[in-house]
Amino acid sequence: MHDIAIYPGTFDPITNGHVDIIERGSKMFGKIVVAVAEQTAKSCLFTADERVEMAKIATKHIKNVIIEKFTGLAVEYVKNQNGAVMLRGLRAVSDFEYELQMALANRELCENVETVFLTPKSKYLYLSSSLVKQIISAGGDVQQWAHEKVIEKLKTKLAFDK
Ligand code: ADP
């Protein structure tokens, strides 16, 4: 039986879509570890520590969640937490090919690590961190897609970036 689910990702920044997946997972597993990738292929707006801090704020209401940073391969990180599963979110069809490829590659690397996919509420199906960043940069309102503190941090960061 699996008691721990590790939810790895970039979380640059965490959105309500991510939180939706964490909330669902928290009802299925004893503990959810949100694993924030320190180095990623994507170039991040926020540092890993900032991404961790925002994830902590946005998930404060969920009791069985902890936020950690990790380096290297996500699947290795999951393997090292004995018996954990990897949790991923599946949005629209566009995610499917990529997520399937990752899950199969991860199985080749660590056969015993299972990947579990959860789907968010339909209103978050097309939501991504990039979309939130783009809308805020253009002066739009993202209130329904991210925690207010996350939005504040985004506004400050993007103002400094200009
Ligand atoms: P990564 O760089 O690993 O894709 P992300 O932070 O973009 O990191 O996403 C982490 C996980 O969360 C992925 O499985 C992604 O599909 C999922 N995810 C991202 N946004 C949403 C959303 N709006 N609803 C559900 N799952 C999501």
Side-chain angles (χ1 to χ4, degrees):
M1 283 302 117
H2 298 290
D3 193 43
I4 304 177
I6 315 247
Y7 182 36
T10 310
F11 306 102
D12 186 45
I14 190 163
T15 68
N16 289 348
H18 292 124
V19 175
D20 181 294
I21 297 297
I22 299 165
E23 282 170 351
R24 281 169 210 285
S26 72
K27 292 175 195 148
M28 299 170 64
F29 297 96
K31 186 165 114 185
I32 302 284
V33 180
V34 177
V36 177
E38 204 147 0
Q39 309 131 332
T40 69
K42 303 175 183 173
S43 66
C44 288
L45 178 65
F46 292 101
T47 65
D49 287 330
E50 289 171 327
R51 287 179 279 131
V52 165
E53 193 198 335
M54 289 184 285
K56 281 187 179 162
I57 292 169
T59 59
K60 215 174 162 187
H61 60 291
I62 315 168
K63 297 240 149 31
N64 51 341
V65 173
I66 61 162
I67 319 290
E68 280 179 359
K69 262 188 303 191
F70 78 98
T71 48
L73 282 176
V75 71
E76 286 287 342
Y77 181 76
V78 177
K79 191 178 104 184
N80 293 335
Q81 319 257 334
N82 287 330
V85 298
M86 182 179 302
L87 177 63
R88 296 286 289 175
L90 253 196
R91 289 167 289 186
V93 192
S94 51
D95 270 349
F96 183 75
E97 284 280 340
Y98 174 73
E99 291 291 339
L100 182 67
Q101 188 184 32
M102 291 296 291
L104 293 177
N106 285 338
R107 181 174 287 155
E108 286 298 315
L109 293 168
C110 301
E111 219 197 312
N112 295 331
V113 172
E114 292 295 346
T115 304
V116 172
F117 294 103
L118 291 177
T119 306
K121 275 194 194 104
S122 55
K123 68 187 233 193
Y124 299 138
L125 270 184
Y126 289 93
L127 176 59
S128 65
S129 303
S130 326
L131 185 75
V132 168
K133 285 183 274 195
Q134 272 173 33
I135 295 174
I136 288 215
S137 307
D141 180 10
V142 293
Q143 230 194 96
Q144 71 270 43
W145 292 317
H147 190 284
E148 56 176 330
K149 293 264 163 48
V150 171
I151 298 175
E152 260 173 43
K153 287 185 189 298
L154 266 168
K155 285 185 177 160
T156 313
K157 182 67 108 178
L158 290 166
F160 277 118
D161 252 26
K162 275 181 187 154

